Amino acid sequence: MILSGFCHGHPTCWEELPVELLLMIMNNLDDKSSKLRCRLVNSKWRAAVNSSLERETLSSWTSRTFFEESVFEPPFPKMRILNYLDYRGLLTSNFLNCPLDFAKTLGNPFPSKSLCISPQNRWGYRKSNRKSRVKMFKVFTLFGSHLTSFHLHGVKVTGALMNLVLKLLENLRALTLSSIRIDEDSLNLSGRLLVVSPPPNLQYLRLININDSDFIQFFVDLCSYQLVSLEVDGFNLRPLRQPMFNFTGITGKSTKSLKLNNVQTAWKNLCKLKVSVVNIEFLQKTISAPIQHLYIGGSPLDEKVCLTDLIKLLEKFSTTLVTLYINIKFGNSDIMEHKIVSNSITFPCLKKIHVCYLESNNYKILLAYENNILSKCPKLEHIHWLYQSHRTFGDLHDLKKKFKFVFHSNCWQICPTLRYIVVSGKKLGYHQPFEVKYTREMFYIWEFEQVLAKLNMSQKKSSIIIYEDNTQISSLTDYPEN
Amino acid sequence: MALVRVISSDGAAFLVSQRLAKRSGKLKTEIETFRKSSDNSEAQPEIRIVTIRAEILRLVLQWLQQHQNDPVLPANQNEQDGRGDAEMGQSQWDRDFLAPMDLGIVMELILAANHLEVKGLLDITCKLVESKITGRTVDEIRTAFKLKSDFKGNEEEQTRLENRWCVEN
């Protein structure tokens, strides 16, 4: 209610817009090229775009959920690593393609405080780019401290290189190592390799497609006191435990910091964990941690995971779990013993469960078992079942027919907060799944129709009314009881 | 109906229902502070906003009135998933409301919405600014926003090179 008001002119100036509001505008700008163009407006806008780019780049580590399976884009700028053969005829990589006069840059040369190094990067191919080359070590020495995120891909890694990365990238918050090969000669994992402690703010670590388990384990253990998010993709991880360091070879300052660390509890900050290949030892021996988002994936082919072990693992995180993604092949015999959850365990925060079933599983028994778990999740809102099949998976109609029971399953009664059950069917090897989404309203309508049908039977009424309007449903469901 | 007097920087007074005023986070706090400090529970609160002039305050109140029955958006929604705004549709009324404004007024509205903590208005005004940026050349942006380049020496050329480095992969 506005009763009075008057207007008169007033000069305004965009120069005076506070930085945090400019930053907010830049953060919402979706289009990368527009964003980069804003860097050219003036130094204030450039600074705002830079911090927005940094935030966006880091979010690929910090806020991507396991439900967003899309391939994430590596950070930019990217530097192509040049391969050449050394005098022994071995492939050695030391030089990077870089813009002309890169080494003479004053201050920070990375707009997003991020860098991706890979032999596949195409920057530098175009003739129009005035390019030069620079030694990788020099890039780290000169500019390493500016980086907050770093992705190293497809490179042969030596102990010296790893040491440099950890020592010179001192402000690093997020690190991805993917498809790297470890140079066995220069790596002595008993202590000579990593003689420094990791950058103090390194909290997000992603290790993808590395087939040297000793390297993974050493690296993971080294960061175990500070990691908030750990994703290990494509290889077995040993159980999360209090790491045992071999202190030989560690000198001076780093010895001190490691000793300090050693009195703390490992994994006390870990909120997000993705292990794409687990083994029984991992399930049985991992220590508890405040994990909120957990992805447990595909066990090795020859080894079928025991459901009991999986439950035991989940119970270790039961008080903190919010989202859970399970993609495991269970042993069939084990599924039968489905009353193993101890009554005292509940999952008070769990909101979203995603379970993948392979065709070989007897999913109906698993579902019965799940109902047992559902009663222990007072806040559960979303269930997603992904049904994977080797055979040609008919069509949406087939899927609906097969999962018809979901529609009237007792999940809806067991879990009062449940809003959706999504069932998707996917033929292995294909990306696009069929999907059916069931809502609580649909269940109410079904329930109501059942009651109506009964009433009709008893009172011999011939007309059936179907209400489509969701707003009426809650009152309608009460009707039969009255 | 309980009312509140909201006074702009240039002295114009707006008499607004408290229910409406409380949709602004800032006014809500002010009204509550007034309640606590005042002995007379019947007294009409008076709030002076020294940073917002009448024309802008009138627009904010007009927007609040139009949206008085919307659900209140959590202030940090954007932080949680990073794209809270993208999913929000803009009503035809909002588009008509913003259409006649020049960028000077829009900026004042952004400042006012931020100061008064009106998340919904802040979102749509920022969206409008984004649409003025998208697809424009640097010079067009500078002209539209009345901004001058303050780069020294070859800084601009350097930034241009960095941009190309960031794009071509």
Side-chain angles (χ1 to χ4, degrees):
Chain A
M1 164 181 274
I2 299 160
L3 298 180
S4 68
F6 65 92
C7 317
H8 61 88
H10 192 271
T12 48
C13 183
W14 278 86
E15 299 274 2
E16 288 161 22
L17 188 72
V19 177
E20 73 267 17
L21 288 176
L22 189 59
L23 194 58
M24 189 177 146
I25 292 169
M26 294 305 160
N27 280 340
N28 285 332
L29 210 56
D30 295 331
D31 170 26
K32 182 177 164 190
S33 64
S34 295
K35 216 174 197 172
L36 287 172
R37 215 174 298 125
C38 288
R39 297 183 75 234
L40 292 160
V41 171
N42 64 27
S43 53
K44 191 174 163 186
W45 279 46
R46 184 174 64 178
V49 175
N50 285 0
S51 38
S52 166
L53 288 174
E54 184 192 359
R55 175 183 181 270
E56 197 180 298
T57 310
L58 281 171
S59 74
S60 139
W61 279 271
T62 56
S63 61
R64 195 175 64 110
T65 68
F66 302 129
F67 301 93
E68 299 164 309
E69 278 301 291
S70 57
V71 182
F72 58 91
E73 200 184 320
F76 64 87
K78 304 177 187 192
M79 282 178 143
R80 191 161 77 91
I81 193 157
L82 303 164
N83 291 329
Y84 66 93
L85 302 177
D86 69 4
Y87 66 96
R88 290 174 296 175
L90 293 171
L91 202 64
T92 313
S93 340
N94 262 333
F95 282 95
L96 303 170
N97 252 346
C98 68
L100 198 65
D101 291 337
F102 175 80
K104 292 179 194 161
T105 316
L106 297 170
N108 171 25
F110 312 107
S112 51
K113 293 200 176 180
S114 178
L115 177 65
C116 171
I117 292 179
S118 153
Q120 284 147 22
N121 290 336
R122 295 205 310 276
W123 190 90
Y125 278 155
R126 282 206 192 181
K127 278 185 180 164
S128 59
N129 289 322
R130 292 187 300 154
K131 56 184 177 284
S132 174
R133 57 174 58 177
V134 62
K135 269 200 163 184
M136 186 149 52
F137 296 102
K138 195 171 178 186
V139 174
F140 293 146
T141 317
L142 288 174
F143 307 118
S145 64
H146 294 293
L147 293 172
T148 54
S149 59
F150 180 53
H151 185 155
L152 190 64
H153 175 85
V155 171
K156 185 153 81 177
V157 164
T158 62
L161 176 65
M162 239 25 251
N163 271 335
L164 267 187
V165 167
L166 293 179
K167 199 168 137 196
L168 297 172
L169 277 52
E170 57 190 1
N171 293 310
L172 207 62
R173 294 185 59 206
L175 173 65
T176 298
L177 301 173
S178 59
S179 306
I180 58 169
R181 285 156 295 137
I182 316 294
D183 185 347
E184 299 289 343
D185 295 344
S186 68
L187 273 179
N188 180 346
L189 288 159
S190 61
R192 267 205 301 126
L193 152 69
L194 301 163
V195 295
V196 286
S197 46
N201 294 321
L202 182 61
Q203 295 181 322
Y204 303 92
L205 181 63
R206 196 176 272 158
L207 303 170
I208 300 167
N209 197 15
I210 303 170
N211 55 12
D212 185 318
S213 62
D214 286 339
F215 175 80
I216 294 179
Q217 207 59 44
F218 194 88
F219 210 83
V220 164
D221 282 349
L222 192 75
C223 302
S224 61
Y225 298 100
Q226 56 195 68
L227 285 185
V228 169
S229 165
L230 171 65
E231 297 177 43
V232 178
D233 219 334
F235 205 80
N236 245 326
L237 186 69
R238 269 176 242 151
L240 303 187
R241 278 188 280 196
Q242 194 78 17
M244 315 273 241
F245 281 112
N246 182 346
F247 286 94
T248 52
I250 295 171
T251 51
K253 190 181 144 208
S254 44
T255 316
K256 204 172 151 192
S257 63
L258 277 178
K259 269 185 185 161
L260 245 178
N261 279 340
N262 223 16
V263 293
Q264 299 172 359
T265 318
W267 306 114
K268 67 176 180 355
N269 298 323
L270 195 69
C271 292
K272 185 169 157 188
L273 176 66
K274 174 175 178 171
V275 187
S276 67
V277 188
V278 290
N279 54 19
I280 289 162
E281 199 198 356
F282 183 91
L283 294 174
Q284 287 175 342
K285 292 190 177 160
T286 289
I287 62 172
S288 77
I291 294 172
Q292 295 173 7
H293 309 285
L294 180 67
Y295 180 114
I296 294 285
S299 51
L301 287 176
D302 53 336
E303 193 177 7
K304 277 182 180 168
V305 164
C306 166
L307 197 59
T308 323
D309 287 337
L310 178 69
I311 298 300
K312 285 225 172 92
L313 179 82
L314 296 185
E315 285 175 357
K316 285 170 190 158
F317 318 126
S318 68
T319 52
T320 49
L321 271 185
V322 178
T323 60
L324 176 62
Y325 195 114
I326 300 175
N327 184 7
I328 283 184
K329 200 155 99 184
F330 298 100
N332 276 337
S333 60
D334 178 65
I335 294 171
M336 299 310 292
E337 28 167 315
H338 60 268
K339 281 179 184 164
I340 18 177
V341 187
S342 52
N343 282 326
S344 57
I345 299 287
T346 61
F347 298 87
C349 310
L350 196 61
K351 285 192 175 164
K352 208 165 171 180
I353 302 182
H354 188 130
V355 187
C356 301
Y357 296 108
L358 280 174
E359 196 177 31
S360 57
N361 284 142
N362 191 341
Y363 56 87
K364 285 201 178 183
I365 297 175
L366 264 178
L367 285 184
Y369 173 71
E370 262 181 22
N371 285 344
N372 187 10
I373 288 200
L374 292 186
S375 61
K376 301 177 192 310
C377 310
K379 284 194 181 160
L380 192 70
E381 291 172 6
H382 194 122
I383 304 178
H384 191 143
W385 285 306
L386 179 66
Y387 178 69
Q388 290 179 317
S389 167
H390 285 286
R391 286 179 313 189
T392 314
F393 204 89
D395 54 10
L396 200 61
H397 185 70
D398 274 8
L399 186 77
K400 279 184 178 169
K401 211 167 145 189
K402 200 168 183 104
F403 281 90
K404 208 179 166 195
F405 66 93
V406 169
F407 200 43
H408 45 86
S409 77
N410 50 359
C411 305
W412 302 107
Q413 281 120 343
I414 295 172
C415 239
T417 50
L418 189 65
R419 286 157 60 201
Y420 305 108
I421 299 181
V422 179
V423 179
S424 42
K426 189 180 165 206
K427 192 189 166 193
L428 284 173
Y430 286 82
H431 289 297
Q432 207 53 48
F434 300 113
E435 200 169 274
V436 193
K437 189 172 178 179
Y438 300 97
T439 64
R440 178 168 285 275
E441 282 77 18
M442 288 162 81
F443 169 68
Y444 281 153
I445 293 179
W446 176 86
E447 203 182 33
F448 178 58
E449 282 171 3
Q450 298 299 306
V451 179
L452 258 192
K454 269 187 199 165
L455 277 176
N456 283 335
M457 292 267 281
S458 58
Q459 297 175 10
K460 303 213 188 306
K461 279 185 185 172
S462 56
S463 62
I464 293 181
I465 318 153
I466 297 170
Y467 291 91
E468 301 250 322
D469 185 354
N470 286 350
T471 55
Q472 294 179 21
I473 290 159
S474 51
S475 58
L476 285 173
T477 45
D478 295 332
Y479 160 72
E481 287 165 20
N482 299 335
Chain B
M1 181 169 60
L3 297 173
V4 54
R5 269 166 83 86
V6 187
I7 301 168
S8 71
S9 62
D10 42 5
F14 296 84
L15 209 50
V16 186
S17 81
Q18 287 194 15
R19 184 180 158 271
L20 186 69
K22 279 182 177 174
R23 302 201 48 100
S24 140
K26 169 86 176 166
L27 292 181
K28 191 179 176 199
T29 340
E30 293 279 340
I31 292 170
E32 278 158 11
T33 322
F34 180 87
R35 280 267 162 277
K36 273 175 206 154
S37 62
S38 159
D39 301 331
N40 177 7
S41 61
E42 296 293 300
Q44 191 180 87
E46 192 174 289
I47 300 164
R48 199 167 277 277
I49 314 280
V50 289
T51 51
I52 304 172
R53 64 195 178 91
E55 189 191 347
I56 303 302
L57 191 55
R58 185 177 58 81
L59 288 170
V60 176
L61 294 173
Q62 205 183 337
W63 189 89
L64 279 176
Q65 193 174 32
Q66 177 65 27
H67 292 268
Q68 56 185 324
N69 297 321
D70 294 3
V72 176
L73 297 169
N76 60 348
Q77 187 189 21
N78 229 12
E79 292 300 311
Q80 289 174 359
D81 55 7
R83 59 202 154 160
D85 294 337
E87 290 157 9
M88 276 189 27
Q90 237 183 60
S91 70
Q92 185 59 40
W93 190 92
D94 284 344
R95 278 191 287 273
D96 295 342
F97 175 70
L98 294 173
M101 293 179 195
D102 67 41
L103 275 172
I105 299 283
V106 171
M107 190 191 119
E108 280 188 274
L109 260 185
I110 291 179
L111 289 174
N114 185 50
H115 182 72
L116 294 175
E117 297 162 38
V118 185
K119 173 87 166 77
L121 181 60
L122 191 59
D123 286 344
I124 61 158
T125 43
C126 284
K127 272 243 138 25
L128 181 73
V129 174
E130 286 152 40
S131 70
K132 300 276 181 202
I133 293 173
T134 311
R136 300 224 177 167
T137 67
V138 181
D139 284 333
E140 281 168 352
I141 296 173
R142 282 195 195 129
T143 319
F145 291 85
K146 298 192 179 73
L147 293 167
K148 287 194 188 81
S149 163
D150 63 349
F151 292 122
K152 295 178 193 75
N154 66 343
E155 266 186 339
E156 188 167 342
E157 182 54 27
Q158 185 63 41
T159 310
R160 216 173 279 277
L161 283 177
E162 282 173 8
N163 279 0
R164 275 172 69 177
W165 189 34
C166 289
V167 170
E168 290 172 21
N169 278 295

